[in-house]
């Protein structure tokens, strides 16, 4: 079954700990790191659109609820479940999250 939508809690890292220097703007296309992928022997990033729920922006250091819409839902089959930890990546991990629901 393909994963069309992921709900998650995300903590945006403070700028001094690798986070963004400015605010994260909702509905951005961002690669997601769901950890090591044994089939390729390394990390696979999954392009997704990340939307803040109820907000337009999040500052470094804040924790927010987000909706993640993978651009290739079939690619996440068997890779994501409730409780899966992940990172938002932009040249580095700038936020960490945990999956709370799948749709």
């Amino acid at each position: 079954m393909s994963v069309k939508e992921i709900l998650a809690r995300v903590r945006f890292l403070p700028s001094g700990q690798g986070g963004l220097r400015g605010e994260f703007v909702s509905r951005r296309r961002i690669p997601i790191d769901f950890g090591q992928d044994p089939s390729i022997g390394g990390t696979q990033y999954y392009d997704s659109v990340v939307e803040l729920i109820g907000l337009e922006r999040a500052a470094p250091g804040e924790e927010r609820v987000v909706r993640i819409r993978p651009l290739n839902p079939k690619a996440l089959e068997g890779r994501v479940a409730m409780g899966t930890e992940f990172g938002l990546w932009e040249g580095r991990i700038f936020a960490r999250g945990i999956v709370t629901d799948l749709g």
Side-chain angles (χ1 to χ4, degrees):
M1 173 170 133
S2 62
V3 178
K4 295 181 179 157
E5 183 176 280
I6 299 166
L7 293 179
R9 286 209 61 80
V10 170
R11 181 174 180 272
F12 294 91
L13 299 174
S15 298
Q17 295 176 12
L20 299 173
R21 296 198 182 272
E23 294 179 315
F24 177 84
V25 179
S26 189
R27 292 179 288 285
R28 280 184 61 190
R29 183 175 172 169
I30 295 289
I32 309 286
D33 171 4
F34 285 105
Q36 296 292 308
D37 184 339
S39 69
I40 64 167
T43 300
Q44 173 72 41
Y45 297 96
Y46 300 89
D47 283 337
S48 303
V49 174
V50 177
E51 176 185 359
L52 298 166
I53 306 265
L55 298 168
E56 288 299 314
R57 299 175 182 276
E62 292 184 333
E63 186 171 309
R64 297 289 180 235
V65 175
V66 301
R67 177 179 293 115
I68 299 168
R69 290 191 176 102
L71 297 182
N72 182 3
K74 284 190 146 272
L76 287 174
E77 287 180 14
R79 295 277 303 137
V80 179
M82 288 181 55
T84 299
E85 295 181 5
F86 63 89
L88 301 182
W89 187 82
E90 190 172 72
R92 67 193 180 290
I93 298 295
F94 68 88
R96 299 213 174 267
I98 187 163
V99 174
T100 58
D101 199 11
L102 297 171

